Amino acid sequence: GENVEQHPSTLSVQEGDSAVIKCTYSDSASNYFPWYKQELGKRPQLIIDIRSNVGEKKDQRIAVTLNKTAKHFSLHITETQPEDSAVYFCAASNLLGGTSYGKLTFGQGTILTVHP
Amino acid sequence: GAGVSQSPSNKVTEKGKDVELRCDPISGHTALYWYRQSLGQGLEFLIYFQGNSAPDKSGLPSDRFSAERTGGSVSTLTIQRTQQEDSAVYLCASSWGGSGANVLTFGAGSRLTVL
């Protein structure tokens, strides 16, 4: 089955700096890669996702890049703010037959701390 | 409902007892997932239901764990003969699949403590 590795496990940055979190996956059939943010004591929520037919996607201060050949994808947060402090999870899924269903395998998470 | 509901929110039990955790997904969501999150750990996949298909049980850690989904809606995760290592937050999520992306909406979780 799919295995997703995520690095680093913890990341500490100063407000205004950029943060990068990297993930690798093992199943070449995976074609959907979301990122979830979990604030302390809250449930995970989707912040951005990318399909395998796209190399990069941006949404304001966050962006995700995908390298299918190397089987890795990354989350980039620019101009970090204290409210970006949270645990970030990457995930991979094989959305079957063009549908939007499939088992989602998560990485171990990255604790991001943004210092004011 | 407006969101994914889980009950109980907290459960403290003694080692060896059985527990049942309930998940009520968003109405109309055909996919339902159970994940386990231990303290400071990631989201460990347990089981996945999709419509009327056979569930993907590949993440269940032992035969003490089972889950069912009745009528394509409510799901119950049962842990028999609980062990201390079962202590964790059990998260349920559901998805619609109609948006072109598999967006999971998570419940608040059931925190299980096995003494």
Side-chain angles (χ1 to χ4, degrees), chain A residues 32 36 38 43-44 46 49 51 89 93 95 100-104 106-108, chain B residues 30 33 35 37 42 45 48 50 56 58 96-97 100-102 104 106-108:
Chain A
Y32 175 66
Y36 283 74
Q38 186 177 28
R43 64 197 77 181
L46 178 74
D49 56 12
R51 300 280 306 245
F89 293 98
S93 179
L95 301 186
S100 299
Y101 297 113
K103 170 184 165 183
L104 208 56
F106 284 87
Q108 289 300 301
Chain B
T30 59
Y33 303 75
Y35 287 89
Q37 187 170 32
F45 169 78
Y48 160 53
Q50 173 49 54
D56 180 341
S58 60
W96 169 43
N102 191 20
L104 270 59
F106 282 88

Side-chain angles (χ1 to χ4, degrees), chain B residues 23-40:
Chain B
C23 173
D24 199 344
I26 292 173
S27 178
H29 281 197
T30 59
L32 187 147
Y33 303 75
W34 283 98
Y35 287 89
R36 178 168 70 175
Q37 187 170 32
S38 302
L39 186 63

